[in-house]
Amino acid sequence: LIALGKALLALPDSAAALGPFEDALRQSPESPEALLGRGLAQAALGERAAAAEALERTRAAAAKEPRLR
């Protein structure tokens, strides 16, 4: 799901990319990769407040992941 979201962001199709990131977050709510993707898609769509929240959650989730420190 994350790979699909990344591919759609690269097209760019931010609106379509949001869905796979949301699906990934339903499976793993603290996934830094999915949170980052959702934040980037929201930012591209002009959803600044939602993007800022997602990116802050990304930072917090990444801090808990030893592989991302």
Side-chain angles (χ1 to χ4, degrees):
L1 292 171
I2 293 172
L4 175 59
K6 287 180 180 181
L8 291 167
L9 271 178
L11 284 178
D13 192 347
S14 301
L18 197 53
F21 292 124
E22 294 288 350
D23 291 343
L25 286 167
R26 277 190 276 284
Q27 293 176 7
S28 183
E30 295 302 315
S31 165
E33 294 90 349
L35 287 164
L36 176 61
R38 180 173 70 180
L40 293 174
Q42 290 169 323
L45 292 169
E47 300 173 6
R48 293 179 184 199
E53 178 186 348
L55 295 174
E56 178 57 29
R57 286 187 59 205
T58 300
R59 187 197 60 75
K64 297 176 189 173
E65 289 278 338
R67 67 184 174 89
L68 298 177
R69 289 185 196 163

